[in-house]
Amino acid sequence: MGTAIHQEEFLPEDHARFSQRLVESLEALRALLSRPGFGAGRPTVGAELEVYLVDALGFPLPVNRQVLARTEDPRVTLELDAFNMEVNLRPGPLAGRPFTALRKEIESALAAVRKGAATQGARVAVIGILPTLREADLGSGALTAEPRYRAMSNAIRQRRAAPFQVAIRGEEEALNLTWNDVTLEGANTSLQYHLRVTPGDFARMYNAAQLATAPVLAVAGNSPLFLGRKLWDETRVALFRQAVDDRGEPGEGGFQPHARVSFGHGWVRESAYELFAESVALHPPMLPVTGDESPRERVAAGEVPGLEELRLHQGTVWTWNRAIYDPKEGGHLRIEFRALPAGPTAVDMAANGAFLLGLTLAFAERVDALLPALPFLHAYGNFIRAARQGLDAEMLWPADAAPSPKPVRVTELVSRLLPEARRGLVDAGVDAEEADSLLGIIEQRVAARQTGAVWQRRMLARLEAQMPRQDALAAMLERYLHHAESGEPVHRWPVD
């Protein structure tokens, strides 16, 4: 959503003009994708990381605009809530040691944010959901004071015409909450990898990413707590869907529109065009800001259009794996992997990325055999079970010589998939030593049965035996921040 937004209210003619431009943009995209050589180039990998700003006691501190003003780093930008920031990590070649490069990017970008944050008495917390969050922290005043975020909040509220209803049931506790704006979404912070792929490879790579997401998410959980309740290992998955749900009451005939946050609606058959067209067909424009460029004219002239309206619209449809069009470098496509949480450490996040991208690359080579053996509904079910139960999840997975997928414990499945992920990475040119080191962290994490989510639950249980829960949450966060600063991967963190 790089388009500048300067207005907060829109007229019917703004929506009509924007909708027409979306139609033109889809025509231009279809023509681009059929252009010989479009999007060709070596695979690259980049990432975006969202973080919290917290005060000396570990509570959210809404000073992101002040911190940005004192952070001299173009990689740093604002996020939805005033206690959130985002760092955009510079992309580099997939071949070689890409995760070492990204780890250095994470560490240097976080150092820049910490330097700016210190001027405001703030610290940086890299965690999926901040355990010390309180309802008072998430009121309407939490929204970052930027037209883009106010416009999005207004659009969603107008479309709903009713408060948000958030209901999340964990294994032990549950949350039921009525809310009036989108600020709950700011409770979620993630690490989003981007992988550049050629148009001809996009469909099989995207479907492979959908398959790979569930087992990786199960071993990467870091968001078990929200508003003092113990919920899912990746509570973000349940919360995000409900926090920006713009659907109002069912329409005539009981028709219920599709949610803007979803795992998708089926396997991609041929090209990325399907996903962009689906976003336009299923979701009305939220931020109808129309630029001056004519996509038709640019394509007819043999040029590469910006497709700003289509990119803006796509940025308001939050599939867990999202298709990205970028006009830079002659125009190209990327897959944005959105499901992984932020934290706990840079090395943990690099390991999660290596496992996710390695599996995606490996599955892409045999995706034609995998898809018939695992219906899309089962892939979605695996994703939800991974988010809910983490290492305790059981998944349906294709079995050799079996006509249908069979249940398998995720810990057993991951052990079977790690060699595939290594092959995917090494075949793509990733240094074998780097692949072995990072995938070894995943293997050790499973052996120790300790993800970030597991560590938080264990630490909270120990502290709750000594103090009330609210105090225990704050004490647990302090220990989390201490261990994260050490750089030790989470499977080695003690519970003491």
Side-chain angles (χ1 to χ4, degrees), residues 42-45 92-99 101 195 361 425-431 434:
R42 292 184 177 182
T44 60
V45 59
L94 176 63
R97 299 180 67 86
F99 301 102
L195 179 66
L361 292 162
L425 292 172
V426 173
D427 287 353
V430 175
D431 179 80
E434 170 155 301

Side-chain angles (χ1 to χ4, degrees), residues 156-226:
I156 292 176
R157 283 183 306 175
Q158 289 170 7
R159 194 161 290 128
R160 281 191 59 84
F164 297 90
Q165 301 296 327
V166 175
I168 307 172
R169 180 168 297 279
E171 297 293 322
E172 303 175 68
E173 299 173 3
L175 173 71
N176 288 281
L177 189 65
T178 299
W179 210 252
N180 289 314
D181 56 43
V182 300
T183 50
L184 290 180
E185 194 276 316
N188 300 307
T189 55
S190 62
L191 172 68
Q192 301 160 14
Y193 277 93
H194 286 241
L195 179 66
R196 176 173 173 169
V197 298
T198 62
D201 290 336
F202 187 91
R204 63 188 183 88
M205 290 290 286
Y206 186 85
N207 290 333
Q210 294 281 74
L211 286 169
T213 296
V216 178
L217 184 64
V219 299
N222 198 33
S223 314
L225 302 159
F226 180 53

Side-chain angles (χ1 to χ4, degrees), residues 49-52 83-84 125-133 184-191 217 220-226 232-237 239-240 320 338-345 349 352 452-453 456 476-477 480-481 493:
L49 175 63
E50 300 160 345
V51 302
Y52 278 93
F83 48 74
N84 295 141
V126 187
I127 190 168
I129 294 180
L130 191 72
T132 52
L133 274 173
L184 290 180
E185 194 276 316
N188 300 307
T189 55
S190 62
L191 172 68
L217 184 64
N222 198 33
S223 314
L225 302 159
F226 180 53
W232 293 14
D233 267 34
E234 264 308 308
T235 303
R236 296 166 42 255
V237 169
L239 178 60
F240 191 15
W320 288 108
R338 300 178 46 79
L340 294 179
T345 66
M349 291 186 282
N352 294 340
Q456 289 184 56
M476 184 269 284
L477 178 63
Y480 178 100
L481 295 176
W493 291 10

Side-chain angles (χ1 to χ4, degrees), residues 172 225 230 454-467 469 472-473 476 495:
E172 303 175 68
L225 302 159
K230 294 182 282 187
V454 171
W455 183 89
Q456 289 184 56
R457 290 179 190 274
R458 288 174 175 170
M459 192 73 248
L460 180 61
R462 180 181 177 278
L463 291 169
E464 271 197 293
Q466 307 167 29
M467 59 188 79
R469 175 166 292 187
L473 290 167
M476 184 269 284
V495 182

Side-chain angles (χ1 to χ4, degrees), residues 196 304 311 325-332 334:
R196 176 173 173 169
V304 176
R311 291 161 58 209
Y325 165 81
D326 192 329
K328 295 177 182 175
E329 300 175 9
H332 64 273
R334 298 196 303 273

